[in-house]
Amino acid sequence: MKNQFDIKKAYYLFLLIRKSEEKIIELYNSDKIKSPVHLSIGQEAIAVGVSLALSKSDIIFSNYRGHAHFIAREANLDKMWAELYGKSRGTARGKGGSMHLNDISKNFMPTSAIVTSAIPEAVGYAFALKYKKKNSVVICYHGEGATDEGVFWESLNFASLHDLPIIFICENNRYAIYSHQNTRSINDPIVSRAISFGIDAERISGNSTEEFFKATIRCKEKIKNNSKPQLLECMTSRWQDHVGVTQPELSKEEENNIKKAIKHDDLKNLENKLSKDEVLHIKKRVNKEIEHAIKFAEASDFPRSSELLENVYY
Ligand SMILES: Cc1ncc(C[n+]2csc(CCOP(=O)(O)OP(=O)(O)O)c2C)c(N)n1
């Protein structure tokens, strides 16, 4: 982690996420990908900005919409693709699919399809870090829909009561599947509600990778100085459907929001700050890494039927 924003690295990670997910869209109907996919196209700036502010020892809890978090953490792309293909060299030995990624070597904890399930786990991990007097922080990515569940607020209460080293990253795309936030709760920003639980919370608008990076650095500094747990409400928009590779059916208002967001796509802004040679070099690297990952997935075997119930907990 450096306190200086690394534009080249941000562009590389952003492009790797975007191109990986575009490749998923391209291949999805061939049925090679064996699991549902929840894409992050439009939301990548958050994962990239946050990840660039982290240390190797920091711990990541993500969710079923986790490709961007996983790739931005520089977790194993080959294994991610093998998992999408349902192959035994995948992150969950091909039995979990896109919603169940993990890379313990990068402190990227296993994800789950159950909304909000990682939040108390992340708080528990932060409690352990404090108990063991470790300096790392926990990052807990979640959607604004996850805040509709009671356990979210119980977790915030516990984190606040014990001053835990945790940063909640709320990716607010305003939609839980097709329900707009305004139809689910009163128009009271998540930040204000979090503050009422004693959490130090900030809302970041604009979908700028660098702003998410700077905000995460600020949160880490505050935690180092023994202040409260942190929450960043990151305003964003999801350009694809909730799940799968089809285009979402949107209200006129949301369609306009997305058009505006596409116009200000931070991938293009980052690209414009680099030289032509730098961009070309990064594009080649990204294509090569994705091609390598797909070859790895294609060359891997499916799990044997004899191991169907191995490492499966139910
Ligand atoms: C406990 C639980 N309830 C409901 C669902 C169905 N579900 C899957 S995603 C989702 C919406 C969550 O929205 P949000 O937290 O905003 O995240 P986003 O999908 O926008 O990233 C719901 C209700 C689920 N998977 N788990």
Side-chain angles (χ1 to χ4, degrees):
M1 186 220 30
K2 287 181 231 142
N3 278 9
Q4 201 61 35
F5 182 62
D6 183 341
I7 299 174
K8 253 203 256 182
K9 183 126 190 218
Y11 177 66
Y12 156 68
L13 291 172
F14 205 135
L15 193 68
L16 190 59
I17 300 167
R18 178 70 60 85
K19 291 286 169 198
S20 296
E21 291 204 325
E22 285 177 354
K23 199 73 190 168
I24 291 171
I25 296 173
E26 187 189 316
L27 291 175
Y28 203 70
N29 290 333
S30 69
D31 210 27
K32 285 182 173 174
I33 293 173
K34 301 292 182 196
S35 83
V37 286
H38 297 74
L39 303 180
S40 302
I41 294 180
Q43 303 190 179
E44 306 95 326
I46 303 169
V48 175
V50 169
S51 300
L52 287 178
L54 302 182
S55 313
K56 282 191 174 142
S57 61
D58 293 333
I59 314 291
I60 321 299
F61 282 82
S62 166
N63 54 59
Y64 53 87
R65 195 179 303 286
H67 302 157
H69 310 145
F70 185 90
I71 296 172
R73 184 61 174 172
E74 297 179 84
N76 192 312
L77 190 69
D78 292 354
K79 288 187 172 191
M80 180 186 121
W81 271 90
E83 191 58 43
L84 296 178
Y85 272 56
K87 300 289 184 78
S88 58
R89 289 199 287 183
T91 63
R93 298 186 171 90
K95 295 177 198 169
S98 158
M99 294 193 278
H100 300 93
L101 302 176
N102 75 82
D103 188 342
I104 302 304
S105 72
K106 298 283 178 171
N107 289 327
F108 187 94
M109 295 297 130
T111 57
S112 148
I114 312 295
V115 172
T116 327
S117 58
I119 290 166
E121 293 168 9
V123 169
Y125 205 114
F127 187 76
L129 288 178
K130 183 160 182 186
Y131 186 78
K132 293 186 169 181
K133 300 188 168 39
K134 303 264 189 202
N135 287 325
S136 314
V137 303
V138 171
I139 293 293
C140 178
Y141 291 105
H142 58 87
E144 89 296 333
T147 73
D148 293 346
E149 295 204 21
V151 67
F152 177 78
W153 300 102
E154 292 168 29
S155 302
L156 250 58
N157 179 55
F158 190 86
S160 175
L161 185 66
H162 294 281
D163 286 338
L164 300 183
I166 183 163
I167 309 172
F168 298 94
I169 305 289
C170 176
E171 297 183 301
N172 189 347
N173 59 24
R174 297 174 304 280
Y175 281 89
I177 312 186
Y178 294 114
S179 307
H180 192 279
Q181 195 181 8
N182 292 346
T183 65
R184 295 183 276 120
S185 54
I186 53 163
N187 189 14
D188 188 8
I190 289 165
V191 271
S192 328
R193 282 184 264 159
I195 288 167
S196 75
F197 276 78
I199 303 283
D200 198 347
E202 191 183 342
R203 179 184 262 193
I204 319 283
S205 303
N207 222 15
S208 150
T209 313
E210 186 164 2
E211 289 308 315
F212 294 130
F213 166 80
K214 285 183 184 160
T216 311
I217 295 279
R218 279 197 295 281
C219 290
K220 285 199 71 171
E221 281 299 316
K222 288 189 210 163
I223 287 177
K224 209 161 102 194
N225 296 327
N226 292 323
S227 80
K228 286 287 182 187
Q230 308 286 312
L231 182 143
L232 295 178
E233 184 181 5
C234 305
M235 305 309 290
T236 186
S237 51
R238 157 169 67 68
W239 302 352
Q240 290 294 128
D241 216 335
H242 165 71
V243 62
V245 300
T246 47
Q247 283 297 310
E249 272 176 41
L250 299 168
S251 64
K252 265 272 156 286
E253 187 193 354
E254 189 57 15
E255 234 172 58
N256 287 336
N257 279 339
I258 291 182
K259 271 190 201 148
K260 232 187 270 166
I262 292 174
K263 214 167 143 197
H264 297 286
D265 185 1
D266 208 39
L267 183 63
K268 283 189 219 133
N269 299 336
L270 293 169
E271 184 170 313
N272 289 339
K273 290 180 183 152
L274 297 172
S275 73
K276 275 192 180 147
D277 279 354
E278 285 169 329
V279 170
L280 198 67
H281 176 77
I282 293 171
K283 281 187 173 169
K284 274 190 186 157
R285 178 178 171 195
V286 162
N287 286 339
K288 222 164 127 185
E289 288 179 15
I290 295 172
E291 265 172 36
H292 187 279
I294 293 174
K295 277 192 187 139
F296 179 88
E298 300 220 335
S300 304
D301 293 323
F302 285 111
R304 291 185 308 277
S305 51
S306 60
E307 61 188 80
L308 194 64
L309 296 180
E310 279 174 22
N311 305 300
V312 173
Y313 303 94
Y314 51 93

